[in-house]
């Protein structure tokens, strides 16, 4: 809390000025106001001819508010006039936003001229009435074997990619952009939440080289920006996704990398505002902040927003409070395993811990469900027998278990797949496999049709019958 200020307010200046800078503590700014602006109101000040924006987060007393700066606070000093914009933060939207790289405020980062906005939309959005929200009950094939078979995406639902550092979350997200742009002719909105500038630069160029950038919109809040930007960049990207869904009736894929950094930014803001930390040091408002973001991702009669969210798992601990809070909002969970990556199996999806609420015989049908369960049973039995094989050798197993292990090892390698967006690095052309071919191949593996082929022939290929499709 700032020290009580009993001095009279400065002499009135033009009517739009609401108050003056009273205190600056890093990204936190205390503003002495003539009247209190509402929470989440956008305020601005000018320093050396540049406009700086703030977002109101706390009312301290009848004359002071605490706001988070959305720019660097270098140059701010006590007594600078603060202007009330009259609204929360808004971003410009238009059909021309596709193919662009923007910052949180809708300003271009790609060196191109700013597009002409059709309207300005509030980044906090409008909560949809329950009767306008459409339930998600249809799978969205993405052409990646292990995903479509064991943890299918939900059209209009939310999918989380969980994993520690270096297991392939960002590469998998980039492949989803390619899949939706080519298979479903939809639009992709990518939210770079606390992204490294290197990652954003690589993503931009790889999407251009893959010729899918014209169907994508990249919105970046970089790692070195204010915690207010990293906290609101996902809301800004979601605003663009809602515009594409409602105004242009597009099938929209919303990708967020990384949602954990959104939680970290919220924790940083919470500490700066003086709130008492809660479980494991996270902010006490963790559940509310995640719910406000996740509950805006839904489908309506105008279109669907399908969300894929990369979630960093601290120390590979799936019981971390941030991870479990995010997990409660998802329809599909894709767990990326460090042990799979160590074996060279990419995508490094853990087939036993990943799953989807739509992998149900009433949704995917008896055929798909039976094959998925058969694959899981073989892989689970192989995992149970791994220690015995290591100690005693595979020769000590029964004939039945030996056959299960051999088929499971081939299935494990078959579920690897070369990606389109990594072809330049690996020298292996990317392959898209239909769900029908995946089911046919897995059924043949389970029945023993491929018992006679070596494991190496199952690795990094497409369909067994059409390997170069």
């Amino acid at each position: 809390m700032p020290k009580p200020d009993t001095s009279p307010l400065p002499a009135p200046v033009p009517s739009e000025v609401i108050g003056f800078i009273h205190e600056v503590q890093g990204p936190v700014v205390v503003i002495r106001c003539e009247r209190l602006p509402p929470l989440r109101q956008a305020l601005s000040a000018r320093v050396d001819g540049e406009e700086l924006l703030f977002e109101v987060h706390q009312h301290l007393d009848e004359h002071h508010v605490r706001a988070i700066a959305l720019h660097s606070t270098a140059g701010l000093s006590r007594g600078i006039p603060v202007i009330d914009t009259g609204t929360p933060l808004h971003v410009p939207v238009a059909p021309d936003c596709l193919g662009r790289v923007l910052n949180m405020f809708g300003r271009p980062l790609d060196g191109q001229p700013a597009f002409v906005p059709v309207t300005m939309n509030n980044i906090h959005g409008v909560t949809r009435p329950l009767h306008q929200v459409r339930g998600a009950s249809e799978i969205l094939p993405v052409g990646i074997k292990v995903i479509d078979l064991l943890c299918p995406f939900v059209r209009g639902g939310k999918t989380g990619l969980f994993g520690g550092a270096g297991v392939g979350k960002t590469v998998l997200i980039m492949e989803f952009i390619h899949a939706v742009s080519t298979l479903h002719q939809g639009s992709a909105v990518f939210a770079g939440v606390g992204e490294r500038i290197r990652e954003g630069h690589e993503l931009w160029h790889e999407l251009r080289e893959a010729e899918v950038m014209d169907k994508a919109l990249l919105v970046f809040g970089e790692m070195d920006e204010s915690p207010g930007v990293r906290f609101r960049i996902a809301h800004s990207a979601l605003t663009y996704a809602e515009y594409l869904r409602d105004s242009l009736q597009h099938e929209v894929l919303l990708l967020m990398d990384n949602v954990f950094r959104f939680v970290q930014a919220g924790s940083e803001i919470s500490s700066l505002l003086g709130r008492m930390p809660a479980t494991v040091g996270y902010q006490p408002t963790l559940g509310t902040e995640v719910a406000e973001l996740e509950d805006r991702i839904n489908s309506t009669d105008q279109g669907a927003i399908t969300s894929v969210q990369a979630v960093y798992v601290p120390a590979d601990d799936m019981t971390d409070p941030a991870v479990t809070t995010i997990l409660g909002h998802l329809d599909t969970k894709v767990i990326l395993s460090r042990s799979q990556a160590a074996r060279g199996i990419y995508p490094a999806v853990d087939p036993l811990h990943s799953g989807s609420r739509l992998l149900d015989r009433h949704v995917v049908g008896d055929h798909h469900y039976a094959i998925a369960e058969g694959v899981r049973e073989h892989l689970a039995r192989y995992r149970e027998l791994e220690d015995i094989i290591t100690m005693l050798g595979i020769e000590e197993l029964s004939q039945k278990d030996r056959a299960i292990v051999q088929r499971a090892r081939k299935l494990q390698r078959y579920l690897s797949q070369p990606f389109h967006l990594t072809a330049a690095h690996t020298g292996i052309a990317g392959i898209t496999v239909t769900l029908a071919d995946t089911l046919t191949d897995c059924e043949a593996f389970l029945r023993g049709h491929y018992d006679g082929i070596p494991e190496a022939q199952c690795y990094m290929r497409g369909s067994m019958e059409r390997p170069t499709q």
Side-chain angles (χ1 to χ4, degrees), residues 10 94 98 107 124 156 278 281 312 321 347 367 414 438:
L98 286 173
R107 297 167 189 158
H124 298 290
Y312 169 71
H367 182 60
Y414 169 76
T438 301

Side-chain angles (χ1 to χ4, degrees), residues 36-170:
L36 293 181
L39 296 178
R40 294 187 175 178
Q41 190 88 322
L43 309 179
S44 69
R46 298 197 73 81
V47 176
D48 298 331
E50 294 186 6
E51 183 184 38
L52 306 184
L53 289 174
F54 314 96
E55 188 178 44
V56 178
H57 277 260
Q58 271 185 344
H59 290 169
L60 298 178
D61 56 39
E62 60 185 5
H63 283 307
H64 292 89
V65 299
R66 187 175 274 153
I68 297 295
L70 301 177
H71 302 82
S72 169
T73 53
L76 278 180
S77 61
R78 186 188 297 256
I80 291 178
V82 176
I83 298 170
D84 184 1
T85 65
T87 65
L89 288 165
H90 281 61
V91 291
V93 294
D96 293 340
C97 65
L98 286 173
R100 303 302 302 272
V101 184
L102 307 174
N103 66 8
M104 174 189 160
F105 309 103
R107 297 167 189 158
L109 296 174
D110 51 12
Q112 302 298 317
F115 61 87
V116 179
V118 172
T119 185
M120 302 288 289
N121 285 4
N122 184 352
I123 68 165
H124 298 290
V126 178
T127 304
R128 288 273 175 177
L130 192 61
H131 68 273
Q132 293 183 10
V133 178
R134 192 179 66 207
S137 59
E138 180 183 358
I139 66 170
L140 180 74
V142 293
I144 298 174
K145 294 180 287 189
V146 66
I147 299 287
D148 290 343
L149 175 68
L150 299 176
C151 42
F153 283 10
V154 181
R155 177 178 270 112
K158 295 181 276 287
T159 298
L161 304 181
F162 294 86
V167 294
K169 297 186 296 296
T170 300

